[in-house]
DNA sequence: TTCACTTTTTATCATTTGTTAATGGATAAG
DNA sequence: CTTATCCATTAACAAATGATAAAAAGTGAA
């Protein structure tokens, strides 16, 4: 199933998969566990098998601001862009019970150098990450909160009934009270 | 001066610089020239020597939404994350007369594979790009428009008096009328 | 079940931002 | 110098969103 996850992003041969396969370590997280902490050492890549996670930052007021959600069978933001000097730039927590495999990020980076399929896979993950951020960026700059909510529903169907609304609200750039209001309007 | 630009991001040896140096082609853009177009073929990296550029997307209403600004001696968003299948995902235009050097992106990617200094430089550009987007993301999600304007001024001092306010407004996620209002308040 | 706790909704009012349109200022062409 | 054009500002009103607090609904443990 990890192979399916990878192939759904960029198709690689069984040989190439074998090279990554050796690096996997299985992990299990409880709901609400923050397993990547800002400013702490981190040298892993994460492939999420099931469950839901969010990446977030703490704003000056002390609130968690959701950056992205990660559903089952997705890759968390790549190590290169998530860390500086091996220290994490963001936090990641599980919002449900979740299972994942981790890989040593340095060894994976070496594979990206030596194996073109793995490099293409890694670069595709990077591009997806950026495309995601650009999509969100233009939404924040040109759509109303209601439109952003509707986009959120398209992009993450079913998530709305599974995770705390506060996490969704900060993702949308509004308060949870406003979200409740928009939900009511959208229901009509 | 191109060497200074590179070294200001990640210090590389003269040998490594020599490898990049061969790839440069000089370009000059008039103010208002869109030299990267969405959905069009693109295989270049861009190092901006002087002038100011913006990356942008067109929203459903037909407006240009500014994604980022690029000042003198900076690197435009790397080709990997800016294109898919060699087709550009965004537009880039010069807001002033500008000079740049371009490089063949595929040849640069090869250098990133064979030369660790160039790879580190390229990855640093990637990280900076993402850090930038995350900073903006959290600002859009947790700051008021006025605070975002003040942040913009810190980040791009002097830009406010050089480029059209509409470009700044869409960057901040507000209308140009609102920007004018905030400018007046902030002046007090 | 009941109780304690958290989350979501609702209501009220204040503030921010958008929309539209008119005004003024700058700039460039004739 | 005039005219035309573009851009920024201002004004008035509408709409969206925030802040606060109270009520309702859900959740989990004893």
């Amino acid at each position: 199933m990890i192979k399916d996850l990878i192939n759904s992003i960029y198709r690689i041969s069984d040989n190439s998969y074998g090279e990554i396969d050796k690096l996997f370590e299985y992990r299990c997280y409880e709901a609400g566990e923050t397993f990547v902490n800002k400013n702490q050492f981190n040298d892993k890549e994460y492939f999420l098998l099931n469950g839901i996670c969010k990446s977030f930052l703490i704003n000056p007021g002390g609130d968690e601001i959701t950056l992205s959600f990660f559903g089952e069978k997705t890759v968390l933001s790549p190590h290169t862009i998530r860390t500086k000097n091996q220290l994490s730039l963001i936090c990641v927590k599980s919002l449900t019970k979740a299972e994942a495999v981790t890989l040593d990020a340095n060894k994976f980076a070496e594979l990206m150098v030596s194996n073109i399929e793995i490099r293409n896979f890694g670069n595709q993950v990077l591009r997806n990450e950026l495309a995601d951020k650009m999509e969100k960026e233009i939404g924040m700059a040109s759509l109303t909160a209601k439109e952003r909510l509707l986009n959120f529903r398209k992009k993450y169907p079913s998530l709305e009934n599974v995770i705390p609304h506060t996490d969704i609200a900060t993702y949308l750039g509004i308060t949870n009270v406003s979200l409740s209001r928009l939900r009511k309007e959208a229901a009509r």
Side-chain angles (χ1 to χ4, degrees), chain A:
Chain A
M1 51 239 70
I2 305 177
K3 196 192 281 188
D4 290 344
L5 188 168
I6 292 173
N7 282 332
S8 75
I9 294 168
Y10 185 91
R11 183 146 214 95
I12 66 176
S13 66
D14 287 357
N15 273 349
S16 295
Y17 178 76
E19 297 207 62
I20 307 181
D21 189 51
K22 302 171 202 161
L23 303 178
F24 290 145
E25 289 179 28
Y26 174 82
R27 292 291 165 83
C28 187
Y29 304 110
E30 293 308 312
E33 200 176 328
T34 300
F35 56 93
V36 177
N37 286 281
K38 181 162 177 176
N39 295 327
Q40 292 196 7
F41 177 83
N42 185 289
D43 66 348
K44 299 295 183 195
E45 302 287 357
Y46 300 83
F47 293 6
L48 186 57
L49 301 177
N50 57 56
I52 299 164
C53 297
K54 72 164 181 179
S55 59
F56 65 101
L57 285 171
I58 311 286
N59 76 358
D63 311 303
E64 297 184 356
I65 306 294
T66 303
L67 298 175
S68 311
F69 294 107
F70 300 92
E72 61 171 25
K73 297 186 183 170
T74 57
V75 176
L76 295 206
S77 308
H79 180 270
T80 347
I81 60 174
R82 187 173 24 89
T83 60
K84 179 155 188 172
N85 303 325
Q86 303 269 71
L87 298 182
S88 182
L89 300 166
I90 62 173
C91 307
V92 183
K93 74 156 56 162
S94 50
L95 299 175
T96 65
K97 196 172 187 313
E99 292 177 297
V101 292
T102 65
L103 307 75
D104 182 287
N106 295 311
K107 288 180 185 161
F108 183 77
E110 286 168 21
L111 284 183
M112 274 186 68
V113 172
S114 64
N115 181 313
I116 188 165
E117 283 186 335
I118 296 176
R119 181 158 71 248
N120 287 338
F121 164 74
N123 281 333
Q124 187 60 47
V125 172
L126 268 178
R127 265 195 301 277
N128 291 349
E129 181 83 6
L130 251 289
D132 223 58
K133 293 219 180 292
M134 289 194 334
E135 195 185 327
K136 190 177 171 193
E137 201 170 9
I138 194 172
M140 294 293 279
S142 74
L143 302 178
T144 65
K146 192 192 291 189
E147 292 169 315
R148 297 202 296 276
L149 171 60
L150 297 179
N151 280 355
F152 165 81
R153 286 177 172 175
K154 271 188 219 161
K155 182 164 181 175
Y156 302 105
S158 85
L159 221 56
E160 194 173 345
N161 305 312
V162 180
I163 63 176
H165 286 181
T166 301
D167 295 328
I168 300 174
T170 64
Y171 176 81
L172 296 174
I174 58 178
T175 62
N176 53 351
V177 177
S178 282
L179 175 56
S180 179
R181 193 156 36 197
L182 294 176
R183 278 163 52 78
K184 187 179 181 181
E185 286 176 37
R188 285 192 235 134

